[in-house]
Amino acid sequence: MGIQALADLEIPCDAERARGHLVEQAFTARPIGTVGLELERHVVDRAQPASVVSWRRLHSALDGVALPNGSTITMEPGGQVELSTPPAKGVAAAIEALSGDDAALQPALADAGLGLVATGTDPARGPVRIHPGDRYGAMATYFASAGYAADAATMMCSSASLQINVEAGPEHGWAERVAQIHRLSPALLALSASSPLVRGKDRGVRSERAAMWQRLDPSRCSPFVGRGDPAGAWASFALAAPVMLLRDPATGRRSPVRERVPLVSWLTGERPLGNRRPTLADLDLHATTLFPPLRLRGFLELRLLDTVPARYWPGLAALTVAVLDDPVAADRAAEAVEPTHRRNADAARLGITDPELGAAARGVVQAALPAVPGPLRPAVEDWAALLDSGRTPADLVLERARRDGPLACLTAAELS
């Protein structure tokens, strides 16, 4: 970004300009087909799985790791490691890139005595924040002030997801693309559920990760509804959400907002913050603190899937992209999920144990199968076989925990 563009971001703005900026940033008209993947997993000390891996040890293990396909490595507040691919031409290329970079990452962690656990929540350990960044400390303070301390700690330090990024496509299709993601969400959530345990406890919830997000600060974490104008709905959602972080323009440091001040109230001057008016840079920061299952970032960022073990994430990525980007698969999937398209809470709690949600999940997989690239069909067929057995990755976690205890889930090969 040029010097002038950076300067423009620091010009104070009013509510009208802010809405226009949010609408403009929501979608970028690009052809459908480009895909990006983000895979988060929990880090475990293989010799002492109950322990928390220190920031210094984790940072040292990852320092200097060279990834051949250009993925970036980031670390979440509890030390979860995330691999994010660059945009790729199609889901097969994105999966190949992520798989290759993961193959380069794993030996570096193994040399340090560390491994990765691919479950939606840490199945045994409590949340401990090890990331020293000021952003995460400020987020924790905001959530605690708003009454969400426990769920926020789980979200920040003990959860992991597979995020899928797809293009918005041409403008005339934006509303339908957003509607399709929202209607598919319960079935995809039930399908990917892999987080039945939190702190070693089974509370009868198939995706504790999704249930936690559904409880956590609905003003910034609930789905936004487009109804024909998704960009406008996104802007309204962002303007109504309370400001979480304040940025010091001189230092870039973030500090928490301890009271609930909707962004629009700061913009109008009704609720001043930080002894200054907000700028476009503040708007852009605010947008990063919104966590609905679908986030508009020019492209579409799907945040609704639990992370799943290595055997299953390629198939999950492939089938999800197929029922979004392939018109025939999308239509067939939409028909399959029609009875369940409003059942997000049931999907988190019951998963495919609910007959209607189980049928919807199977319907999504069957709709996707003809549309996925040939080399990825066996991975999607693995999902079909798993569902036909009445199981999802959540059952793999529960089976291991019941056999050997929750702590064993951290070192189980089938959950890596």
Side-chain angles (χ1 to χ4, degrees):
M1 185 177 292
I3 294 175
Q4 184 58 51
L6 288 170
D8 290 344
L9 289 176
E10 297 296 352
I11 297 173
C13 63
D14 58 17
E16 182 179 359
R17 187 182 182 200
R19 174 175 282 278
H21 181 73
L22 290 163
V23 167
E24 181 182 357
Q25 296 295 309
F27 293 104
T28 301
R30 292 197 184 100
I32 289 170
T34 301
V35 176
L37 301 174
E38 303 175 36
L39 179 64
E40 299 174 338
R41 287 161 296 180
H42 311 281
V43 174
V44 61
D45 182 329
R46 292 295 193 188
Q48 297 180 308
S51 66
V52 175
V53 178
S54 72
W55 175 256
R56 178 176 293 182
R57 182 180 176 191
L58 180 58
H59 195 274
S60 176
L62 297 174
D63 188 38
V65 174
L67 301 181
N69 299 316
S71 296
T72 58
I73 303 173
T74 54
M75 288 163 278
E76 297 299 312
Q80 308 97 308
V81 171
E82 178 180 88
L83 281 180
S84 303
T85 69
K89 293 182 178 180
V91 69
I95 289 170
E96 183 179 5
L98 184 54
S99 297
D101 286 343
D102 187 44
L105 170 68
Q106 296 273 3
L109 290 169
D111 287 347
L114 304 177
L116 296 173
V117 185
T119 54
T121 53
D122 188 309
R125 301 170 296 184
V128 177
R129 180 163 54 87
I130 67 168
H131 197 302
D134 60 294
R135 173 185 171 94
Y136 297 124
M139 285 178 63
T141 299
Y142 164 86
F143 279 123
S145 299
Y148 299 104
D151 279 332
T154 300
M155 177 272 287
M156 294 174 66
C157 303
S158 297
S159 71
S161 69
L162 171 65
Q163 295 182 17
I164 299 179
N165 304 320
V166 295
E167 295 290 10
E171 184 174 356
H172 65 80
W174 291 347
E176 175 55 27
R177 294 265 290 162
V178 169
Q180 175 76 342
I181 291 169
H182 284 150
R183 71 170 65 99
L184 290 172
S185 290
L188 289 173
L189 196 164
L191 174 72
S192 73
S194 69
S195 51
L197 301 179
V198 172
R199 300 178 181 88
K201 295 181 180 178
D202 175 8
R203 297 183 294 189
V205 176
R206 307 298 287 182
S207 176
E208 288 276 14
R209 174 187 170 275
M212 170 271 301
W213 276 115
Q214 291 169 5
R215 293 189 300 266
L216 185 62
D217 195 0
S219 65
R220 66 187 344 104
C221 301
S222 63
F224 67 93
V225 180
R227 302 203 186 281
D229 180 20
W234 172 253
S236 296
F237 177 76
L239 290 168
V243 180
M244 174 185 280
L245 308 176
L246 279 182
R247 177 186 57 91
D248 185 328
T251 66
R253 288 191 60 81
R254 278 70 57 96
S255 59
V257 178
R258 291 179 169 82
E259 53 185 328
R260 294 182 73 79
V261 180
L263 175 63
V264 69
S265 297
W266 187 21
L267 287 159
T268 61
E270 179 185 351
R271 301 284 299 277
L273 288 173
N275 299 314
R276 64 179 179 84
R277 292 175 57 196
T279 67
L280 294 182
D282 295 309
L283 257 68
D284 290 344
L285 174 61
H286 178 71
T288 70
T289 70
L290 306 177
F291 308 112
L294 167 64
R295 188 157 63 180
L296 303 185
R297 301 181 56 191
F299 56 90
L300 309 180
E301 181 187 74
L302 282 73
R303 305 172 49 83
L304 57 96
L305 304 173
D306 279 7
T307 202
V308 294
R311 177 177 177 179
Y312 292 106
W313 73 255
L316 181 59
L319 71 89
T320 301
V321 172
V323 295
L324 295 177
D325 284 3
D326 182 274
V328 174
D331 287 345
R332 289 176 176 168
E335 182 178 354
V337 304
E338 178 57 32
T340 64
H341 70 279
R342 299 183 186 275
R343 299 188 62 193
N344 283 298
D346 289 340
R349 183 168 58 89
L350 302 172
I352 68 163
T353 66
D354 176 89
E356 212 171 47
L357 285 161
R362 293 181 186 93
V364 168
V365 173
Q366 292 304 318
L369 255 173
V372 300
L376 292 172
R377 286 179 191 167
V380 178
E381 288 167 350
D382 272 354
W383 277 99
L386 188 65
L387 293 175
D388 285 345
S389 73
R391 300 152 76 225
T392 68
D395 295 283
L396 305 182
V397 177
L398 290 172
E399 288 164 9
R400 172 62 72 167
R402 288 165 182 164
R403 185 167 65 246
D404 300 318
L407 200 59
C409 296
L410 297 175
T411 53
E414 71 271 21
L415 301 177
S416 64

